[in-house]
């Protein structure tokens, strides 16, 4: 992605908004949804080393078409600021679901779809980290350390999402 945008990955100036807009332009709306999913995954899994060389598009010369590459280099990193792609112009870790909704909207996704993606990714990352890491042979002390970092760094976002969940008091207050 850095090469396509003619921007150095190390400058910290590539944003998820650019990633999603580039995906929409090159490969269409369906891949914009995948870009959003990857952004949510990187937030919740504390993959802070998420820069422009960690996202790529593949070009098929015979078909003259682009596709989004498979995801790669997805590793927890306990830095407490974003090292790579910014989120709507900010290097701060998003604390509200509204930030995710704004990015989803850029990708052409509804708030309902953004919430469904968030819930799926949260179950796989926050809810599934210990089981997946243990099965992969990650030492227990590292599993514990990363799990704690994930919880601390995503606490505000998770709380905001729960407040806005259908059926929650806050959600009911907004409807009245």
């Amino acid at each position: 992605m850095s090469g396509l945008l003619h921007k150095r990955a190390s400058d910290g100036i590539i944003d998820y908004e650019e990633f999603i807009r580039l995906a929409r332009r090159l490969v269409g709306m369906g891949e914009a949804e995948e870009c959003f999913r990857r952004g949510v995954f990187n937030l919740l899994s504390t993959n802070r080393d998420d820069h422009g060389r960690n996202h790529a598009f593949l070009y098929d010369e015979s078909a003259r078409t682009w596709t989004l590459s498979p995801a790669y280099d997805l590793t927890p990193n306990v830095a407490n600021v974003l090292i790579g792609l910014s989120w709507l112009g900010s290097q701060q870790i998003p604390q509200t679901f509204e930030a995710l909704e704004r990015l989803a909207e850029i990708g052409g996704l509804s708030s309902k779809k953004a919430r469904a993606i968030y819930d799926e990714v949260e179950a796989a990352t926050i809810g599934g980290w210990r089981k997946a890491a243990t099965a992969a042979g990650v030492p227990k002390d590292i599993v514990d350390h990363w799990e704690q970092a994930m919880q601390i760094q995503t606490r505000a976002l998770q709380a905001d999402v729960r407040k806005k969940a259908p059926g929650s008091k806050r959600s009911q207050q907004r409807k009245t």
Side-chain angles (χ1 to χ4, degrees):
M1 181 171 62
S2 293
L4 282 170
L5 294 172
H6 300 283
K7 295 181 178 181
R8 287 178 24 175
S10 60
D11 290 344
I13 58 172
I14 301 174
D15 195 283
Y16 266 101
E17 180 177 354
E18 286 180 289
F19 181 31
I20 286 178
R21 288 187 191 281
L22 181 61
R24 285 181 69 172
R25 188 175 313 120
L26 290 177
V27 294
M29 295 292 285
E31 297 295 359
E33 179 179 321
E34 176 61 20
C35 294
F36 176 77
R37 181 180 302 279
R38 290 178 188 191
V40 173
F41 175 86
N42 286 328
L43 287 174
L44 294 177
S45 69
T46 66
N47 178 17
R48 304 297 178 238
D49 186 26
D50 172 31
H51 51 75
R53 287 189 314 263
N54 287 350
H55 300 280
F57 295 88
L58 306 172
Y59 185 69
D60 180 336
E61 288 195 36
S62 62
R64 301 184 68 153
T65 58
W66 289 94
T67 56
L68 185 62
S69 76
Y72 58 93
D73 198 10
L74 303 172
T75 307
N77 178 318
V78 296
N80 60 5
V81 295
L82 302 175
I83 298 169
L85 270 57
S86 57
W87 198 275
L88 298 171
S90 174
Q91 288 297 117
Q92 298 303 309
I93 298 164
Q95 304 290 305
T96 66
F97 188 66
E98 181 183 358
L100 278 66
E101 288 176 309
R102 287 195 320 261
L103 188 63
E105 185 179 323
I106 290 165
L109 305 174
S110 69
S111 181
K112 183 177 179 179
K113 183 65 175 176
R115 177 57 191 258
I117 290 170
Y118 175 89
D119 289 344
E120 290 170 10
V121 173
E122 183 185 56
T125 54
I126 305 295
W129 163 251
R130 180 166 291 281
K131 182 178 178 182
T134 301
V138 176
K140 184 184 179 319
D141 59 333
I142 294 174
V143 172
D144 293 343
H145 180 73
W146 281 338
E147 183 175 58
Q148 182 181 22
M150 286 180 204
Q151 289 295 336
I152 291 168
Q153 291 186 32
T154 63
R155 184 176 292 137
L157 177 59
Q158 289 182 65
D160 189 62
V161 169
R162 281 191 297 277
K163 282 192 298 191
K164 294 175 180 159
S168 72
K169 285 183 182 181
R170 180 131 185 204
S171 177
Q172 293 301 319
Q173 290 171 350
R174 286 186 298 169
K175 290 179 183 177
T176 58

